[in-house]
Amino acid sequence: MDIIKKLAEEFDIKVKQVENTVALIDEGNTIPFIARYRKEVTGGLSDELLRDLDERLKYLRGLEERKEEVLRLIEEQGKLTDELAEEIKKAEVLQRVEDLYKPFKQKKQTRAGKAKERGLEPLAMMINMQQEKSGDPLEFAKPYVDPEKEVPTPEDALQGACDIIAEMIADDADNIQEVRERTFDHGSIAVEATDPEEKTVYDMYYGKTEALSKIPNHRILAINRGEKEGKLKVNVEAPLDEMIGYLEKQIIRGESIYKDLLKDTVEDSYKRLIQPSVEREMRNRLTERAEEEAIKVFAKNTEKLLMVPPVRGKRIISIDPGYRTGCKVAVIDETGKLLAYTTIYPTQPKNDVAGTEKVLTKIIEKYGINVIVIGNGTASRETEEVVANYLKKNSFDIEYTIVNEAGASIYSASKLATEEYPDLDVTTRGAMSLGRRLQDPLAELVKIDPKHIGVGQYQHDMNQKKLDSALGGVVEDCVNRVGVDLNTASPSLLSYVAGISGPVSKNIVKYREENGRFKNRKELLNVAKLGPKAYEQCAGFLRISGGDEPLDQTAVHPESYAAAKAMMKKTGITGEDIKGGGAKDIDEKIFQAYPAMKREESLGKMAEDLGLGIPTLRDIIDEMKKPGRDPREDAPPVVFRSDVRDFDDLKEGMELSGTVRNVVDFGAFVDIGIKQDGLVHISQLSNKYIKHPMDVVSVGDTVKVKILSVDKEKGKVSLTMKL
C-alpha cells in the first residue's frame, strides 16, 4: 500500500503535503510545533487535521506491519499461495487481514480439530466436492470407521467430516465479510429488562428493538452501561433465513447425495460458529463507533471549556458549598494568591444566614472583593440563594457566578495539590481551585485529568487509552495556542507545552526558584534535560514579559528572530513598540517600505527579502500588532448573575438567557439559573435539520431559550431554542 497516496486521498490534500508532514512527524516534531511553525512545509494544515493524520498514519503503518507478519506466519506453514498473498497485500483494513489469516491461525481444540486428528479430513474434502450423484453417504463414510480413533460408526464419521466443513465455512473470509455486512444492514439490536418490574433509569429501553445501522451512538453507550450494571439484556438479531440462504448458495453446487447433509452443516456453521462471532463483532463495531463519536464530542467540549476567557484583575470570594460540614470559603487576590479562608454555614442543618452575611461583609470590606464564585455541586442552589439575597439588600458592586466544580475534589486530594499547598486541608484547596478556575480556566483545569472535568457523556465506560490520548491532545493544543508565561506557569501547565515532559517541567520551575525569573528564552538551555530539540519545540510557546528580548513576549519563534529584526529595521519598528502594546500600523509601514509596489505585492516582496514564507511572515506581523495576543479573547465572556431563579418560578413559554454547560449527541444542557441544567433536545436546537448539536452550540455559549415543559417531580426542564 502506498500510505502517502492513501492519506492524501483520505484527507483530500496534496501528496507533497503528506510527504512533508510525515517527514516532520518522523523527525520527532510535536503536532503544535508543526501546526504553528511549519506552515510552509505542511501547506498550513491545522493542529486538528494533523492529529487525525498522525493517528491514521499509525494505523496504516500498523496494518502494513501486520500484513508482513501474517504473510510470514502462513509462509512458515508452507501454505502461502500467490493468490492469498495478493489478497493480504491489497487489504485496506485490519479486519480483512485477520479474516484471511483465520484458517491458518492456531486454534484451541475444536470439534473440527478433533475430527482432523481422527483422519476425517479426506472424507470432508470428498463431501465438499459434491461429485457423487447417487448412493448413500453412509457407504462412503464406512472406510473411515475406526473405533481406536473414536470413530465407532459411519454416522460418527459423517458428523466429524461435517464439523470440518462447518469450520471451513466459518473460516472463509468472503463468507464472513458478507454475513457481517448483511447483519449490519438488516439486523437489529433488541433490549429487554433483566427484571421488568424494577424501575430504573433504563426504563425507556425496555422492550426496544432498533436497526443496527440506525441506532444512535448515545443509545448504544446507554444500553451498554445498563447491561454492565445488570439491568438490561441485549441481543443482536439477524434475519436467519437470509443468512443461511446466502451461505447455502456459496456452498451447495447443484444436486448431490450430500445436499441435505450440507444444508444441515451450513445451518450448524452459522448458528454455532458464525452467528455468535458476528454478534460480538456487531456489538464491538457499534461500541467503537459510539465511543469514537463520544470522544470527538468530549474533545470539542473540553476545548471550548479550556478556551473560556480568563477573568482578570478580580479579587474573589470562592465558595465550595456543603451541608453538614458547612461551605468552605477561600479568598484570593488578582493573581490567585490565597489571602484568607474560613467556613460558613448558610445551609442545613445550621441555616446560619445572619452569620454568613456577617462573614461575607467582613471579607468584602477588608479585601475589596469584586466577584463571588460558587461551586455547582451539593448545596449549590441553597448557597446561591443566600448569596443572591445578600447582594440584593446591600450596596456592594459585586456580581456572582456559578463554576462547574467537576474534578475539583479529585484535584484537591491529589498528590499534585498536596505538593502545591502542603499546609492547606483538602476542602480549602478545593474552594481555592474553584476561584482560580474563573481567573484562568486553562491554567487550573490542566491540573485535572481531562475526563473528570464534566463535559462528556459515558466517559468512564469507553476505551480509556483512546480517550486519554484524544483529550491529552486537546489540552496540549489549547495550551500551546494560548501560550504560557514562563515565569509564572505551574509544572502542570508547562508539561503540556510542546517538547516539555513532566520531569523537565519540574526542572524549569526548580531552575526558576534557584536563579530567579527567566530573562530570555535562551536561558531555557540551562535547564536540566532540556536539550536543543526540546528547546526548538517549546521556545515559541513560552512567553517572557519584561525580559532582555522584546520578541520573547511574542509567539515569534527564536529561529525567526533575525528575520523579524530585519523587518523591524526596514519598517522602523522598535522593541519599545512591542513592549508598549504593539505596532498597530505595521501593514502601512511595510507598504511604505516598497513605494513602487501595490499593497498586496509589498508583502510578498518583504517575505522574499527576509527569506520567509508568507504564512510565517503573516504570523510575525500579527504578533507585532498585538504581542502575546490571547486567542481566548474571541470566546463568549463569562456570564455573571445578580439574582437566582426558583424552580417554582419556571413556567411553560417563559423566555430566558442561559449558558451552555455541556453538549452531547442528543442535545445541549443549559444553565438557566436553577440547580438543574435544562435540556434542549437536538430537535429543539434549530428550525433546520442538523446532524449534531455541535453544528449549532458549543460549551460556554450564551443562548436564548424558551421553556417547553417543567417536571417538578423529576426536577427536569425541557427547553427550546426555536424562538
Side-chain angles (χ1 to χ4, degrees):
M1 182 191 295
D2 186 337
I3 291 177
I4 300 294
K5 186 178 178 183
K6 184 163 182 62
L7 287 170
E9 289 170 357
E10 288 183 4
F11 288 92
D12 194 23
I13 55 179
K14 295 174 183 175
V15 169
K16 193 67 181 171
Q17 284 178 285
V18 179
E19 285 177 344
N20 292 346
T21 301
V22 170
L24 287 168
I25 290 170
D26 288 344
E27 287 167 10
N29 294 291
T30 62
I31 297 300
F33 176 80
I34 296 171
R36 174 71 175 148
Y37 297 111
R38 292 297 179 263
K39 289 179 180 176
E40 286 86 358
V41 183
T42 68
L45 300 181
S46 69
D47 48 14
E48 190 175 350
L49 191 146
L50 286 167
R51 287 197 186 279
D52 289 343
L53 189 148
D54 183 32
E55 189 176 328
R56 186 66 177 146
L57 173 66
K58 287 172 184 169
Y59 176 86
L60 293 176
R61 283 178 167 173
L63 174 63
E64 292 303 298
E65 286 175 12
R66 182 59 178 159
K67 285 182 190 178
E68 292 301 319
E69 186 180 18
V70 165
L71 288 167
R72 177 182 61 78
L73 290 168
I74 300 174
E75 179 70 59
E76 286 174 359
Q77 296 178 32
K79 297 177 181 178
L80 185 65
T81 63
D82 291 343
E83 184 181 3
L84 177 58
E86 187 59 31
E87 279 288 310
I88 292 170
K89 285 175 184 175
K90 73 179 185 183
E92 295 194 350
V93 292
L94 199 54
Q95 180 72 68
R96 178 66 176 170
V97 176
E98 298 304 334
D99 285 348
L100 291 166
Y101 178 49
K102 192 176 177 183
F104 309 97
K105 204 171 185 178
Q106 193 70 36
K107 296 182 178 74
K108 293 178 181 177
Q109 192 70 295
T110 63
R111 280 164 51 172
K114 290 176 182 176
K116 287 176 183 178
E117 290 172 3
R118 291 164 186 162
L120 297 174
E121 196 166 11
L123 176 59
M125 294 304 104
M126 183 173 68
I127 295 171
N128 198 42
M129 293 291 290
Q130 306 171 50
Q131 292 178 342
E132 286 72 25
K133 306 300 179 186
S134 61
D136 186 345
L138 290 172
E139 290 299 316
F140 290 96
K142 280 180 180 177
Y144 296 92
V145 172
D146 186 344
E148 290 185 6
K149 291 184 178 179
E150 298 181 23
V151 188
T153 67
E155 287 83 358
D156 291 319
L158 286 178
Q159 181 59 58
C162 288
D163 286 342
I164 293 171
I165 296 169
E167 189 168 272
M168 287 167 55
I169 295 169
D171 281 352
D172 185 280
D174 293 330
N175 286 343
I176 291 297
Q177 181 62 23
E178 185 65 27
V179 169
R180 191 183 284 130
E181 294 311 314
R182 286 180 183 231
T183 300
F184 185 75
D185 292 340
H186 306 295
S188 57
I189 192 158
V191 184
E192 296 291 340
T194 305
D195 178 2
E197 302 301 316
E198 184 184 6
K199 289 288 182 186
T200 71
V201 293
Y202 306 106
D203 292 1
M204 67 188 79
Y205 303 115
Y206 290 3
K208 287 277 186 184
T209 299
E210 198 158 1
L212 286 170
S213 58
K214 293 181 179 177
I215 184 168
N217 291 325
H218 66 272
R219 210 167 292 159
I220 294 163
L221 296 174
I223 63 176
N224 283 357
R225 178 181 283 184
E227 184 181 42
K228 189 177 178 182
E229 292 176 3
K231 305 300 181 185
L232 300 176
K233 292 185 288 187
V234 185
N235 291 301
V236 172
E237 297 177 346
L240 183 65
D241 292 343
E242 179 185 339
M243 300 302 171
I244 291 176
Y246 163 74
L247 290 171
E248 284 180 353
K249 285 181 183 177
Q250 309 310 306
I251 305 304
I252 300 172
R253 298 183 290 277
E255 296 296 326
S256 78
I257 64 172
Y258 304 115
K259 186 174 181 179
D260 290 340
L261 200 61
L262 286 170
K263 278 192 169 190
D264 291 341
T265 302
V266 165
E267 186 172 348
D268 171 60
S269 178
Y270 177 72
K271 287 183 175 179
R272 181 170 59 87
L273 301 173
I274 298 174
Q275 188 178 20
S277 172
V278 169
E279 281 190 12
R280 284 193 301 272
E281 285 180 14
M282 288 301 105
R283 293 293 303 279
N284 290 338
R285 179 173 173 176
L286 291 176
T287 298
E288 283 177 14
R289 186 191 78 191
E291 286 185 352
E292 191 174 312
E293 182 62 27
I295 287 171
K296 282 182 183 175
V297 171
F298 201 159
K300 272 291 175 195
N301 285 342
T302 301
E303 178 188 10
K304 293 293 182 182
L305 189 62
L306 293 174
M307 295 300 283
V308 166
V311 175
R312 302 193 191 281
K314 302 289 185 183
R315 291 201 158 206
I316 293 172
I317 292 175
S318 179
I319 305 174
D320 186 0
Y323 286 119
R324 186 178 55 80
T325 56
C327 303
K328 306 304 175 184
V329 176
V331 184
I332 54 178
D333 71 6
E334 298 86 345
T335 66
K337 180 184 175 184
L338 183 68
L339 300 175
Y341 58 92
T342 187
T343 304
I344 54 178
Y345 299 89
T347 59
Q348 296 179 358
K350 291 191 176 182
N351 294 314
D352 183 14
V353 175
T356 295
E357 292 183 346
K358 189 176 178 182
V359 170
L360 291 176
T361 301
K362 185 178 177 182
I363 292 173
I364 289 168
E365 291 177 345
K366 182 176 181 180
Y367 295 105
I369 299 300
N370 310 108
V371 171
I372 297 176
V373 168
I374 304 168
N376 70 340
T378 305
S380 173
R381 171 71 177 72
E382 296 86 339
T383 306
E384 180 185 4
E385 192 167 4
V386 171
V387 169
N389 289 334
Y390 167 73
L391 293 177
K392 268 184 197 175
K393 63 187 182 185
N394 287 280
S395 57
F396 297 119
D397 183 19
I398 295 174
E399 296 174 305
Y400 76 89
T401 189
I402 305 297
V403 172
N404 187 343
E405 63 179 54
S409 59
I410 293 172
Y411 159 72
S412 59
S414 68
K415 182 182 176 185
L416 173 61
T418 306
E419 289 173 354
E420 285 187 314
Y421 310 107
D423 300 328
L424 300 179
D425 66 20
V426 169
T427 53
T428 304
R429 289 180 206 142
M432 185 168 58
S433 177
L434 294 179
R436 287 179 160 191
R437 285 189 187 196
L438 182 72
Q439 289 182 324
D440 193 339
L442 182 59
E444 197 63 23
L445 289 172
V446 294
K447 299 175 183 178
I448 302 163
D449 186 332
K451 63 173 169 278
H452 294 307
I453 61 177
V455 288
Q457 56 177 345
Y458 305 106
Q459 58 262 38
H460 301 295
D461 298 333
M462 60 184 70
N463 185 308
Q464 296 300 296
K465 188 175 178 182
K466 283 185 180 177
L467 180 63
D468 289 343
S469 174
L471 296 183
V474 167
V475 178
E476 186 180 26
D477 288 341
C478 289
V479 168
N480 290 285
R481 207 177 302 156
V482 171
V484 171
D485 187 323
L486 183 55
N487 284 313
T488 61
S490 67
S492 303
L493 193 57
L494 288 166
S495 68
Y496 280 105
V497 173
I500 295 180
S501 64
V504 171
S505 71
K506 290 178 180 176
N507 289 346
I508 290 173
V509 173
K510 185 180 178 184
Y511 180 90
R512 197 170 68 200
E513 289 169 350
E514 292 174 353
N515 299 278
R517 290 172 55 84
F518 282 89
K519 298 176 187 66
N520 54 64
R521 282 170 169 165
K522 283 183 182 177
E523 219 178 323
L524 280 163
L525 290 166
N526 298 331
V527 174
K529 297 183 180 177
L530 199 158
K533 184 67 177 179
Y535 176 76
E536 177 193 47
Q537 300 299 303
C538 74
F541 302 111
L542 296 168
R543 314 274 191 268
I544 300 174
S545 298
D548 300 339
E549 171 56 68
L551 290 172
D552 281 352
Q553 73 182 60
T554 73
V556 177
H557 196 282
E559 67 186 8
S560 299
Y561 278 8
K565 287 177 179 179
M567 183 181 73
M568 290 167 68
K569 189 173 181 181
K570 271 180 178 287
T571 56
I573 294 168
T574 66
E576 292 306 311
D577 291 329
I578 295 173
K579 287 182 178 179
K584 305 291 187 289
D585 58 349
I586 188 170
D587 292 320
E588 189 61 35
K589 288 186 174 181
I590 290 173
F591 177 52
Q592 290 170 0
Y594 301 97
M597 288 188 168
K598 293 179 181 177
R599 186 177 291 274
E600 59 269 20
E601 292 173 346
S602 61
L603 187 69
K605 178 60 176 168
M606 176 69 81
E608 183 184 329
D609 288 351
L610 297 175
L612 295 174
I614 288 180
T616 296
L617 178 57
R618 286 189 193 279
D619 285 344
I620 293 173
I621 290 169
D622 287 342
E623 284 299 312
M624 296 282 189
K625 286 179 185 174
K626 201 168 184 183
R629 177 183 172 275
D630 191 333
R632 293 176 292 179
E633 293 169 8
D634 298 334
V638 173
V639 177
F640 289 99
R641 297 178 181 169
S642 56
D643 62 356
V644 60
R645 297 185 189 98
D646 193 283
F647 199 97
D648 293 331
D649 295 336
L650 302 182
K651 300 284 186 293
E652 288 183 21
M654 186 182 284
E655 293 190 8
L656 306 162
S657 289
T659 304
V660 177
R661 293 297 182 198
N662 198 4
V663 181
V664 293
D665 287 347
F666 52 84
F669 289 97
V670 179
D671 177 0
I672 54 171
I674 61 172
K675 183 176 181 180
Q676 186 70 35
D677 291 341
L679 172 65
V680 185
H681 189 266
I682 185 171
S683 61
Q684 296 297 324
L685 282 167
S686 172
N687 289 310
K688 298 176 183 176
Y689 169 76
I690 58 170
K691 280 189 173 182
H692 196 278
M694 282 193 169
D695 297 341
V696 180
V697 291
S698 299
V699 169
D701 286 355
T702 301
V703 294
K704 293 277 188 185
V705 294
K706 184 166 71 176
I707 296 176
L708 285 179
S709 65
V710 180
D711 187 335
K712 292 183 180 178
E713 187 180 331
K714 293 184 177 179
K716 291 185 177 180
V717 183
S718 294
L719 307 170
T720 180
M721 283 172 55
K722 295 179 179 180
L723 303 181

